Amino acid sequence: MEYPPLAELVQGKWPQDVLDRAKELQEHIGSIGAYSHSKGVPFIRKSVAKFIEERDGFPSDPEDIFLTAGASAGVSLILNTLITPNVTGVLIPIPQYPLYTATLAQYSGVALPYHLSEPNGWSTSLEEIETAVAKAEKEGIVPRALVVINPGNPTGAILDKKTMAEVVRLCEKHSLVLLADEVYQANLHRPDTHPFHSFKQVVRELQSPVPLFSFHSISKGVKGECGRRGGYFECTNISDEVRALLYKMASVTLCPPVSGQIALDCLVRPPRPGQPSYEQYKKETDTIHAALRHRTQLMAQRLNSLPGVSCVDSPGALYLYPKIELPDKAIEEAQRQGKSPDTLYALELLEETGICVVPGSGFGQKDGEHHYRLTCLCPGVEEYVSALENFHKKFVAKYGGL
Amino acid sequence: MEYPPLAELVQGKWPQDVLDRAKELQEHIGSIGAYSHSKGVPFIRKSVAKFIEERDGFPSDPEDIFLTAGASAGVSLILNTLITPNVTGVLIPIPQYPLYTATLAQYSGVALPYHLSEPNGWSTSLEEIETAVAKAEKEGIVPRALVVINPGNPTGAILDKKTMAEVVRLCEKHSLVLLADEVYQANLHRPDTHPFHSFKQVVRELQSPVPLFSFHSISKGVKGECGRRGGYFECTNISDEVRALLYKMASVTLCPPVSGQIALDCLVRPPRPGQPSYEQYKKETDTIHAALRHRTQLMAQRLNSLPGVSCVDSPGALYLYPKIELPDKAIEEAQRQGKSPDTLYALELLEETGICVVPGSGFGQKDGEHHYRLTCLCPGVEEYVSALENFHKKFVAKYGGL
């Protein structure tokens, strides 16, 4: 028996622009089951460069683009290249997505934490970075790179352009490589007042020579195709020699997953007005953005009305990072159990309500403070936030009040 | 307009067992676009464990299985865990697939080469390994692991069971972790005289306590779905503590590509006799195996009849690794160009014929020897091998003969 190929079955049944894209990609890729170029399919790297040019208004060279198995694979490759074991320091924001501390530990790099300012909406403080640089130098650690997560994870904060320019100047002053984790660049809840600017754009506008690696991913935004493992990084002001070294290192793992590369092409080259699939794409995208915005704002508002809870109303990313005051007795109980107090809180929340949050101790926080990270992805936000409220009140009462 | 989902379009058009498998996987995975468990989808790990049990006749626990983005990602994870920078040595065969030297360099581990014996069909020599261990210890390097590639890359050699048992005993004696790269286990050209045995089986038969990591991949065999990035490693005699650490490290990169995991399920759970797709599967698989066997044997035979060329007729993998004598003048010319002599040969071969081989200096060889690695994947083997022969004769003549 002969089985008809997929292309035949979908012909005339799916939007023509989708079929055309599949055919175009197939022509450039060949088989999805074969290795691609170790930096990724050249055609898709061209699509990425075009996306960056349209976003920033500055040229982008496909040769500066490396496709990766998610942003984390790119971060790992760059940190590996930068680090001399036990000597090299990398400045990371606190709170931070633990990828950075974990990857630094893997390569025996030294994490140099700088605190974000919670009272100022988790803003990035130049003073804190300067303090961290000075401390490192005193301890014989060579600060070599600065990580900025923008929009922030877990904070959702977005850097304004003035601060970004100051960060770039600081990198110039201390000869730091800038690592810009920009995977949430499409997750903006109030783009009019809190727009996203890429560090690539700022570096080019300032005509700065700062070496910059910018990371993006298919795992966030509204697609969230995280299981396919796709992403890229762009090199700005990186010498041919270093790029050649990165290419060599990328080739050790042969190539990024081709299905992730294809998803990346869809991310950076979405349907355009007039194409058959555009209306559906636009409607789905707008609906998801609106839902994320609504959930984030509603939860922040409700959390802020709880006793002992304060929560920055994140303008971006997919999270809230509320600060919680905990009763002394809860802190004592946590100590007795050998857990951090926010871990005790998170575990009891999970038991009581089924809601899973990540304790702040996983991301870092100041001594004596307690936070947790909450995602804004869950539908049924009213029910969800009511459960959170009820739990919080019961928890505080159970441990004797604040 | 409504667009029909894929499942509807393929219903009744594709073999029922293929559709059933897709449905079963979907029930266990959910979305191919979502993160899976960091060790891989539990259902697929169960399939892998069953495959190993059927292969070896010994139990396999899904909790000992880690799914990976190809075998290389697994090798990288294990080496990262084993290595203390600049102190830890890892024994690697020469010639070897350069993944090992490259990954050791990334983690500042020390490569401890042991030579395979070309006159004995690239066999693994216990004496060579002992010599390498003694040399390392004299130099203050701690030998911590032994890599065996079986079937070999680039040699295609297959270890016999007696040698495997000796290797296991040697690991016991020197407290070495055994890394068994078994990605070519399905690529057997003469399974009657040169069967494949897994190190897992040998370790269990000997009731040995040797810690073993065994690697497998979807990138080889007859499927060769390398662009999807799928594979696994199995832990044997690895403590709960180390497994927990590996799980933590695996979770840094979140999860292996889900499409690669699905392809792995297809590899370890192929169609069974009686299922609708079995006949086609069997026919395609047999055809590919026969073609690979035919090409390998024909090429080895023809290469061996060339002046100054000798080639072990590989019983496995996808390669031949002929040794070539080169005219003195060719060696001088290579020196003048700052290239290794086999690189000069390979580049001229590429220019003249379009055939791409990898110079032996990329895999390692004894001083003064010259090899290249030739894949046996190319159809039209008659034309291909004739072009090789003509080139070789012309090359030797051009540089004044042997």
Side-chain angles (χ1 to χ4, degrees):
Chain A
M1 185 179 166
E2 285 289 313
Y3 304 108
L6 186 56
E8 198 176 288
L9 295 174
V10 297
Q11 202 56 50
K13 307 274 187 178
W14 283 359
Q16 194 54 42
D17 58 328
V18 171
L19 304 180
D20 290 345
R21 178 193 295 262
K23 211 175 153 204
E24 185 179 30
L25 285 168
Q26 192 177 34
E27 275 160 18
H28 285 281
I29 295 172
S31 166
I32 193 174
Y35 290 130
S36 74
H37 191 290
S38 293
K39 287 171 72 173
V41 174
F43 176 79
I44 299 178
R45 278 190 277 136
K46 271 185 214 163
S47 300
V48 170
K50 223 178 280 177
F51 160 81
I52 293 171
E53 286 183 359
E54 285 180 21
R55 185 194 64 190
D56 295 340
F58 288 94
S60 171
D61 182 346
E63 285 309 305
D64 288 333
I65 312 285
F66 286 69
L67 308 193
T68 56
S72 54
V75 167
S76 176
L77 175 64
I78 300 301
L79 287 179
N80 189 187
T81 313
L82 290 172
I83 287 170
T84 305
N86 307 317
V87 172
T88 305
V90 176
L91 293 145
I92 56 168
I94 296 296
Q96 55 104 29
Y97 179 57
L99 165 67
Y100 293 95
T101 37
T103 308
L104 285 169
Q106 273 184 321
Y107 297 118
S108 306
V110 183
L112 308 173
Y114 66 92
H115 282 275
L116 304 177
S117 172
E118 187 167 11
N120 295 311
W122 294 115
S123 66
T124 297
S125 148
L126 275 283
E127 220 179 305
E128 288 278 352
I129 302 175
E130 287 286 4
T131 307
V133 168
K135 184 164 175 278
E137 284 171 349
K138 226 167 106 182
E139 288 165 0
I141 301 299
V142 182
R144 192 135 165 205
L146 168 70
V147 173
V148 178
I149 312 176
N150 182 40
N153 179 2
T155 65
I158 298 177
L159 274 72
D160 59 56
K161 230 169 168 179
K162 185 171 155 285
T163 306
M164 294 174 77
E166 288 167 358
V167 165
V168 169
R169 292 307 183 199
L170 182 144
C171 288
E172 287 178 8
K173 181 177 152 195
H174 294 290
S175 302
L176 295 170
V177 176
L178 181 55
L179 271 56
D181 178 337
E182 300 175 334
V183 300
Y184 295 101
Q185 61 187 266
N187 295 105
L188 308 175
H189 305 319
R190 305 191 288 276
D192 292 342
T193 54
H194 293 76
F196 167 78
H197 299 285
S198 74
F199 266 109
K200 165 81 181 292
Q201 188 187 50
V202 173
V203 164
R204 285 292 183 241
E205 280 178 358
L206 296 175
Q207 300 186 308
S208 165
V210 158
L212 165 69
F213 294 101
S214 311
F215 303 91
H216 197 15
S217 166
I218 59 169
S219 301
K220 318 299 172 189
V222 298
K223 292 193 181 58
E225 291 286 323
C226 47
R228 297 184 187 274
R229 314 308 297 124
Y232 74 83
F233 63 85
E234 185 188 22
C235 307
T236 305
N237 296 330
I238 304 299
S239 69
D240 289 351
E241 290 72 21
V242 171
R243 271 195 353 219
L245 175 70
L246 290 171
Y247 175 35
K248 196 170 177 180
M249 290 178 71
S251 69
V252 175
T253 46
L254 298 150
C255 75
V258 177
S259 101
Q261 297 185 49
I262 290 169
L264 182 64
D265 186 77
C266 297
L267 175 75
V268 298
R269 208 163 52 110
R272 304 278 176 181
Q275 291 187 321
S277 68
Y278 178 74
E279 289 304 325
Q280 186 176 343
Y281 161 79
K282 179 84 170 71
K283 199 176 135 199
E284 286 181 8
T285 304
D286 288 349
T287 305
I288 296 172
H289 275 303
L292 292 172
R293 185 186 317 125
H294 168 69
R295 285 174 207 155
T296 306
Q297 288 174 350
L298 180 81
M299 289 202 294
Q301 197 180 16
R302 294 272 286 268
L303 286 166
N304 274 319
S305 67
L306 281 174
V309 177
S310 69
C311 181
V312 172
D313 182 6
S314 304
L318 303 171
Y319 315 105
L320 289 171
Y321 195 61
K323 180 158 76 175
I324 47 174
E325 278 179 62
L326 296 178
D328 290 343
K329 281 192 184 149
I331 294 170
E332 283 161 28
E333 175 59 21
Q335 280 166 344
R336 210 186 54 75
Q337 292 185 23
K339 294 187 177 79
S340 67
D342 49 13
T343 302
L344 177 79
Y345 185 93
L347 284 172
E348 293 201 13
L349 175 66
L350 183 62
E351 284 292 334
E352 284 275 324
T353 65
I355 296 172
C356 181
V357 299
V358 185
S361 41
F363 301 95
Q365 53 200 352
K366 292 188 174 163
D367 283 346
E369 290 189 351
H370 315 294
H371 294 81
Y372 62 84
R373 191 190 76 169
L374 187 63
T375 75
C376 308
L377 295 166
C378 191
V381 64
E382 285 282 352
E383 189 193 343
Y384 184 81
V385 75
S386 300
L388 268 179
E389 286 170 339
N390 290 336
F391 167 78
H392 183 76
K393 287 173 191 160
K394 272 172 69 180
F395 182 90
V396 169
K398 176 180 169 186
Y399 289 105
L402 289 172
Chain B
M1 185 178 166
E2 286 288 314
Y3 303 109
L6 186 57
E8 199 176 286
L9 295 176
V10 296
Q11 202 56 51
K13 307 275 186 177
W14 282 0
Q16 193 55 43
D17 58 329
V18 171
L19 303 180
D20 292 345
R21 177 193 295 260
K23 210 176 154 203
E24 186 180 29
L25 285 169
Q26 190 177 36
E27 275 160 17
H28 285 280
I29 294 172
S31 165
I32 193 175
Y35 290 130
S36 74
H37 190 290
S38 294
K39 287 171 71 172
V41 174
F43 175 79
I44 299 176
R45 279 189 278 137
K46 271 184 213 161
S47 300
V48 171
K50 223 176 279 175
F51 161 81
I52 294 171
E53 286 183 0
E54 285 179 22
R55 184 194 64 191
D56 295 340
F58 288 94
S60 171
D61 183 345
E63 286 307 305
D64 288 333
I65 311 285
F66 286 68
L67 308 192
T68 55
S72 54
V75 167
S76 175
L77 176 64
I78 300 301
L79 287 179
N80 188 188
T81 312
L82 291 171
I83 288 171
T84 304
N86 307 317
V87 173
T88 305
V90 177
L91 293 145
I92 56 170
I94 296 294
Q96 53 106 30
Y97 179 55
L99 167 66
Y100 293 95
T101 36
T103 309
L104 286 169
Q106 272 185 322
Y107 298 118
S108 307
V110 183
L112 307 172
Y114 66 91
H115 282 274
L116 304 176
S117 171
E118 186 167 12
N120 296 311
W122 293 116
S123 68
T124 297
S125 150
L126 275 284
E127 220 179 303
E128 287 278 352
I129 302 176
E130 287 285 4
T131 307
V133 169
K135 183 164 175 281
E137 284 170 348
K138 226 168 106 182
E139 288 165 0
I141 300 299
V142 182
R144 192 135 166 205
L146 169 69
V147 173
V148 178
I149 311 176
N150 181 41
N153 179 2
T155 65
I158 298 177
L159 274 73
D160 60 56
K161 227 168 170 179
K162 183 171 157 288
T163 306
M164 293 174 77
E166 289 167 357
V167 165
V168 169
R169 293 306 183 201
L170 181 143
C171 288
E172 287 178 8
K173 180 178 154 197
H174 294 291
S175 301
L176 295 170
V177 176
L178 182 54
L179 271 56
D181 179 336
E182 301 176 333
V183 300
Y184 294 101
Q185 61 186 268
N187 294 104
L188 309 174
H189 305 317
R190 305 193 286 276
D192 294 343
T193 54
H194 292 76
F196 167 78
H197 299 284
S198 75
F199 265 109
K200 165 79 181 293
Q201 188 187 51
V202 174
V203 163
R204 286 289 183 244
E205 281 178 357
L206 297 174
Q207 301 186 307
S208 165
V210 158
L212 166 68
F213 295 100
S214 310
F215 303 90
H216 197 15
S217 166
I218 59 169
S219 301
K220 318 299 172 191
V222 298
K223 291 192 182 60
E225 290 286 323
C226 47
R228 298 185 185 274
R229 312 310 296 126
Y232 74 81
F233 63 86
E234 185 188 22
C235 307
T236 304
N237 296 330
I238 303 299
S239 70
D240 290 350
E241 290 72 21
V242 171
R243 269 195 355 220
L245 174 70
L246 290 172
Y247 175 33
K248 197 169 175 179
M249 289 177 72
S251 68
V252 175
T253 46
L254 298 149
C255 75
V258 177
S259 100
Q261 297 185 48
I262 291 169
L264 182 64
D265 187 77
C266 297
L267 175 76
V268 298
R269 207 162 54 105
R272 304 277 177 183
Q275 291 187 321
S277 68
Y278 179 75
E279 288 306 326
Q280 185 176 344
Y281 161 79
K282 180 84 169 70
K283 199 177 136 201
E284 286 182 8
T285 304
D286 288 349
T287 306
I288 295 172
H289 276 303
L292 292 172
R293 185 187 317 122
H294 168 69
R295 286 175 207 157
T296 305
Q297 290 174 350
L298 180 80
M299 289 203 293
Q301 199 179 15
R302 294 272 287 267
L303 285 166
N304 274 319
S305 68
L306 280 175
V309 178
S310 69
C311 181
V312 172
D313 182 6
S314 304
L318 303 171
Y319 314 104
L320 290 172
Y321 194 62
K323 180 158 77 175
I324 46 175
E325 278 178 63
L326 296 178
D328 291 342
K329 282 194 184 147
I331 294 170
E332 282 160 28
E333 173 61 19
Q335 279 165 344
R336 209 187 52 77
Q337 292 186 24
K339 294 186 177 79
S340 67
D342 49 12
T343 302
L344 177 80
Y345 186 91
L347 285 172
E348 292 201 12
L349 175 64
L350 183 62
E351 284 292 332
E352 284 276 323
T353 66
I355 296 173
C356 181
V357 301
V358 186
S361 42
F363 302 95
Q365 54 199 351
K366 291 188 175 163
D367 284 346
E369 291 190 349
H370 315 292
H371 295 80
Y372 62 85
R373 190 188 77 169
L374 186 63
T375 76
C376 308
L377 296 166
C378 191
V381 64
E382 285 283 353
E383 188 193 343
Y384 184 82
V385 76
S386 300
L388 268 178
E389 287 170 338
N390 290 337
F391 167 78
H392 182 77
K393 287 173 192 161
K394 271 172 68 179
F395 182 91
V396 169
K398 175 181 170 187
Y399 290 104
L402 289 172

